[in-house]
Amino acid sequence: MIYTEVGLNGAPKKILDSSSGGVYGWWGMSFAISPDGSIAYARPDGIGTVSLSGGYLAPLLDTRHFKRTVEWPGSPASVGGGDGKTLYFVDHAPAPAPITDEESPYFDLKATSLISKFTARLTEQVGMLQRQLLHHSPNGQENSYQMAYLQAIFPDQSETSRYRLVVMDRDGSNHRALFPPPDSIGLEPQTPAWAPQPIPGQAGDFLAVIYQGNLGWWTAEVDKPIKSQVMD
């Protein structure tokens, strides 16, 4: 893993050496970087943080891998966090018997505090194909940010399902399904992006997604369904 600090004097620095990546290392590992420069990781068997000074992984929580077949164990452990204090991640949820925990088709969205180590379930059955969990501080206020994620239309078939874009408050309340509407085809799994600055001529916060080959902005206010297409 190579890390580069932002700035004119930033230079690449190797943080992690090559490794097997755990029991299911061939499935890979994902990373999320917070504004303060700290890094979190996710892989099929757990999530944690990366020690930039020590060059090692610091495990935080174990997660169940998704065993669809013997040959293909999937990773539900997408991770994100931007305040340096909280990690948001998708965890494999149990299913009713006789389905085993590893074969369960359900995935919940959770948050864990890096300070208190407390973990809470924010919402159930969001689906496994979360590219990254994003959040945004309206007007730069850290204590009032929103979070965007993808919700599987068919949660028990989330590896093939399409998704809807949903926004909620940081504590898991006030869910708002933004796009697409219920009578429209869903989104392909992707990473939505918050607008880094106000959209000219528009008020409020916006998210960018790709829908049926078009890139566009959608407002984060469910009662103001504004769309602004950027390109085909």
Side-chain angles (χ1 to χ4, degrees):
M1 177 183 180
I2 304 297
Y3 176 79
T4 302
E5 295 183 350
V6 177
L8 295 177
N9 297 322
K13 176 184 177 183
K14 186 170 78 169
I15 301 299
L16 298 175
D17 291 322
S18 299
S19 69
S20 62
V23 179
Y24 303 102
W26 66 86
W27 192 250
M29 187 183 307
S30 62
F31 298 92
I33 303 177
S34 70
D36 66 2
S38 59
I39 300 176
Y41 76 88
R43 62 188 194 184
D45 59 352
I47 66 170
T49 57
V50 179
S51 172
L52 299 181
S53 59
Y56 60 86
L57 302 178
L60 185 62
L61 287 173
D62 294 333
T63 57
R64 299 185 188 92
H65 74 278
F66 176 45
K67 188 172 69 173
R68 184 60 174 174
T69 67
V70 174
E71 295 80 16
W72 185 74
S75 172
S78 173
V79 65
D83 61 0
K85 302 175 183 177
T86 310
L87 290 183
Y88 297 92
F89 64 101
V90 175
D91 194 14
H92 202 180
I99 301 174
T100 68
D101 288 347
E102 291 181 349
E103 294 172 328
S104 168
Y106 303 120
F107 299 85
D108 296 344
L109 176 56
K110 296 181 178 181
T112 187
S113 169
L114 295 177
I115 299 174
S116 68
K117 311 304 181 186
F118 176 75
T119 298
R121 180 187 291 108
L122 301 181
T123 187
E124 298 180 345
Q125 298 186 19
V126 296
M128 70 177 294
L129 297 180
Q130 301 289 339
R131 290 296 183 266
Q132 189 172 356
L133 306 174
L134 311 171
H135 60 275
H136 168 70
S137 301
N139 302 317
Q141 299 178 13
E142 183 274 330
N143 63 351
S144 62
Y145 65 76
Q146 302 176 79
M147 182 171 145
Y149 66 94
L150 298 181
Q151 170 66 57
I153 296 174
F154 301 104
D156 59 346
Q157 304 172 41
S158 65
E159 60 184 297
T160 57
S161 172
R162 287 186 177 248
Y163 287 72
R164 290 195 177 96
L165 179 64
V166 180
V167 171
M168 67 180 179
D169 292 346
R170 64 185 297 173
D171 61 357
S173 63
N174 196 21
H175 291 249
R176 287 101 68 203
L178 302 183
F179 183 83
D183 58 350
S184 299
I185 189 171
L187 294 164
E188 293 279 2
Q190 60 185 275
T191 304
W194 288 98
Q197 56 190 12
I199 302 296
Q202 304 289 352
D205 300 306
F206 282 75
L207 287 142
V209 293
I210 297 173
Y211 184 62
Q212 295 183 331
N214 297 321
L215 172 63
W217 296 107
W218 276 263
T219 178
E221 299 299 326
V222 72
D223 59 341
K224 300 177 183 177
I226 303 170
K227 177 205 169 186
S228 174
Q229 185 170 308
V230 177
M231 64 174 61
D232 293 331

